[in-house]
Amino acid sequence: MKSAVETLNPTRVRLTVEVPFEELKDSLDAAYKKINQQVTVKGFRKGKIPARVIDQRFGRGAVLEEAVNDALPKFYTDAVNEAELNPLGQPEVDITELKDGETLNFTAEVDVRPTVEIPDYSGIEVEVDAIEVTEEDVDKAVEQLRERFASTSPVERAAEDGDVVTIDLEAKVDGEVLEDGIANGVSYTIGSGELLDGIDDAVKGVEAGGEATFTSELKGGSAAGKEAEVTVKVTQVAARELPELDDDFAQLASEFDTLEELRADSRKRLENMKQYDQATQAQERVLDKLLELVEVPVPEKLLEDEINTRKHNLEHHQLGQMGLTLDKYLEIQGKTAEEFETETRDAAVKGIKTQFVLDELVNKEKLNVSQEELTEHLMRRAASSGMSPDQFAQAVVQNNQVPLLVGEVARGKALAVVVEAATVKDTNGEIVDLEDEEDEAAEGETAEAVSAEGDGEGEEKAEA
């Protein structure tokens, strides 16, 4: 077999392959054997039909077609390996010449991973938000905890903001009660915004036993997105009572003995959260700076597949679970279809470029992923997916996604290397030490850039 490579552009090549006919022998034998098992010829036992009879009865062309289809993947793979290419996706194969007993010639056009030159990144400088936790922040955190320990008691008065009402709901569309439009005994906190638009105004001022009717757009169910006439009947009004902010509350709501200790712990938790946010911000800004330094051509077919994957995941998974259409989502976001297309394309381009650049960094820095690092990453991904580690691991193995996870960890380590070499200052001009949060935040930023619960998987799938 002889092969040659023609570069069509920085991300696409054409392979020209010439195969001597004798190299098709194994595939021809396999073709005759396969046809033997599929056909019946009078006078011959099944599987014992001579090759000349198969040629006479079914045509030599059918045998050649079967043999070529069997052999092409191997010859294509051999040509790719010989040329040391990194193909992305499936090739477009064209058989240019097939002469029985002489030769098989074909071409294969395929996208390839572009050559990426990593420049000196040690001079990257970024600014991030300073970590500041105010007394107001602590007050808010403690108040949220206090809200969780609120108690309720029925009252004989009209419902007010903050009350918890027990209600029965009935929704009609075009005068007809929906099959899934009846709900009884629903507990709702007025002002929480957790139910239908307009319900707060409808129930305020209504006592137990009273009812009201209002119009609202349904957020889910069989008539999601439609205007409905909703009748709400209040069966109970209960006032919420918050516990006193004292040492007794601290002992009730935490492992601490005093309110002062509880507030100190709340401050520490807020600082930790802001530290993680700061580290994530640093990863994002360092990555953006790095991508500005590198020229990365993006294969058009890969980009098209990536855009389609992101759209599919948004429409059929994320929005589908919320009962929203893409049009309704864009209306809520205040975006036009053109703006959505542009944002999706920009995100896809960034995801692909990020993967190319960080993969090249992994090779350049000779970074490896240990079993311990992979396990830690798997645990984090399982937690974010809402699955147990065992369930998540099983799903990863069944879907052959172990290489994908290994790639995420490796790219996270590569980005951490760049961040370590960069200068990161906060808005106060202080140098930021990201050592404690760097690796985890880098893995999160890298995974988000090249996937998103399934986004950005085009290249991974192609290479697999």
Side-chain angles (χ1 to χ4, degrees), residues 338-407:
E338 291 74 18
E339 289 172 334
F340 170 71
E341 291 288 339
T342 299
E343 289 180 5
T344 303
R345 183 180 181 86
D346 290 346
V349 168
K350 181 180 179 181
I352 293 171
K353 286 185 174 182
T354 296
Q355 186 161 334
F356 285 161
V357 170
L358 295 184
D359 282 348
E360 183 60 31
L361 262 170
V362 169
N363 294 330
K364 180 179 179 180
E365 302 293 342
K366 296 180 173 57
L367 301 175
N368 296 312
V369 176
S370 68
Q371 183 62 51
E372 181 181 359
E373 290 169 331
L374 181 59
T375 300
E376 290 176 357
H377 184 63
L378 186 148
M379 299 281 281
R380 281 194 289 268
R381 288 292 301 272
S384 64
S385 70
M387 301 170 67
S388 72
D390 287 344
Q391 289 174 324
F392 188 80
Q394 186 176 5
V396 166
V397 173
Q398 288 177 345
N399 293 305
N400 298 317
Q401 290 185 327
V402 173
L404 188 149
L405 288 188
V406 171

Side-chain angles (χ1 to χ4, degrees), residues 13-24:
V13 299
R14 178 188 292 122
L15 284 165
T16 301
V17 184
E18 298 179 10
V19 183
F21 202 80
E22 57 267 21
E23 293 188 28
L24 283 171

Side-chain angles (χ1 to χ4, degrees), residues 141-389:
V142 173
E143 189 63 26
Q144 288 174 343
L145 182 62
R146 187 185 181 203
E147 292 276 349
R148 289 166 50 191
F149 285 86
S151 59
T152 60
S153 58
V155 292
E156 295 183 3
R157 59 166 172 76
E160 301 173 355
D161 264 328
D163 285 344
V164 178
V165 291
T166 304
I167 53 178
D168 298 334
L169 296 165
E170 180 184 85
K172 294 180 181 179
V173 173
D174 298 330
E176 297 291 329
V177 178
L178 300 172
E179 289 186 9
D180 56 354
I182 297 176
N184 295 322
V186 177
S187 180
Y188 176 67
T189 301
I190 300 175
S192 65
E194 294 174 352
L195 279 179
L196 300 168
D197 292 338
I199 193 170
D200 289 337
D201 291 336
V203 297
K204 279 191 292 187
V206 178
E207 298 183 15
E211 64 179 50
T213 301
F214 64 100
T215 301
S216 182
E217 182 178 301
L218 299 179
K219 297 181 180 179
S222 60
K226 294 184 178 180
E227 288 288 326
E229 181 184 83
V230 183
T231 299
V232 53
K233 180 178 180 180
V234 178
T235 59
Q236 179 180 279
V237 178
R240 298 177 73 249
E241 298 177 359
L242 297 174
E244 291 293 327
L245 282 178
D246 52 23
D247 292 347
D248 289 339
F249 168 69
Q251 294 166 23
L252 171 68
S254 71
E255 70 272 30
F256 301 105
D257 294 326
T258 67
L259 182 61
E260 183 179 351
E261 290 174 324
L262 174 59
R263 288 181 62 85
D265 180 71
S266 296
R267 177 180 292 277
K268 183 62 178 176
R269 289 174 185 272
L270 289 171
E271 288 174 349
N272 290 340
M273 289 172 59
K274 287 181 178 287
Q275 283 178 347
Y276 180 82
D277 291 342
Q278 186 187 64
T280 302
Q281 191 179 66
Q283 313 302 330
E284 294 171 354
R285 295 183 179 179
V286 169
L287 177 60
D288 288 341
K289 289 280 189 179
L290 177 63
L291 293 180
E292 289 174 7
L293 296 176
V294 188
E295 186 68 30
V296 186
V298 176
E300 278 302 318
K301 180 63 169 61
L302 181 62
L303 177 58
E304 180 184 340
D305 290 345
E306 178 67 15
I307 291 172
N308 290 336
T309 297
R310 288 172 181 259
K311 288 180 179 178
H312 178 85
N313 288 342
L314 175 64
E315 290 190 64
H316 298 281
H317 297 293
Q318 294 163 276
L319 298 183
Q321 291 175 357
M322 295 186 288
L324 294 176
T325 64
L326 179 58
D327 289 340
K328 186 61 181 176
Y329 167 75
L330 294 180
E331 180 185 331
I332 294 172
Q333 294 291 316
K335 296 177 183 176
T336 65
E338 291 74 18
E339 289 172 334
F340 170 71
E341 291 288 339
T342 299
E343 289 180 5
T344 303
R345 183 180 181 86
D346 290 346
V349 168
K350 181 180 179 181
I352 293 171
K353 286 185 174 182
T354 296
Q355 186 161 334
F356 285 161
V357 170
L358 295 184
D359 282 348
E360 183 60 31
L361 262 170
V362 169
N363 294 330
K364 180 179 179 180
E365 302 293 342
K366 296 180 173 57
L367 301 175
N368 296 312
V369 176
S370 68
Q371 183 62 51
E372 181 181 359
E373 290 169 331
L374 181 59
T375 300
E376 290 176 357
H377 184 63
L378 186 148
M379 299 281 281
R380 281 194 289 268
R381 288 292 301 272
S384 64
S385 70
M387 301 170 67
S388 72

Side-chain angles (χ1 to χ4, degrees), residues 65-84:
E65 182 179 356
E66 181 67 36
V68 169
N69 288 339
D70 175 75
L72 273 178
K74 176 183 180 302
F75 293 134
Y76 166 73
T77 300
D78 289 345
V80 165
N81 293 337
E82 183 179 297
E84 298 182 344

Side-chain angles (χ1 to χ4, degrees), residues 47-116:
K48 299 295 184 181
I49 309 170
R52 58 180 176 77
V53 175
I54 291 177
D55 290 345
Q56 292 169 356
R57 296 291 296 272
F58 306 103
R60 173 73 167 175
V63 180
L64 287 175
E65 182 179 356
E66 181 67 36
V68 169
N69 288 339
D70 175 75
L72 273 178
K74 176 183 180 302
F75 293 134
Y76 166 73
T77 300
D78 289 345
V80 165
N81 293 337
E82 183 179 297
E84 298 182 344
L85 299 175
N86 291 309
L88 304 171
Q90 296 301 314
E92 295 179 6
V93 178
D94 180 27
I95 297 174
T96 56
E97 187 176 24
L98 175 58
K99 289 185 178 180
D100 194 358
E102 295 184 27
T103 187
L104 163 66
N105 297 336
F106 69 91
T107 62
E109 288 191 18
V110 67
D111 286 332
V112 293
R113 180 184 286 265
T115 300
V116 177

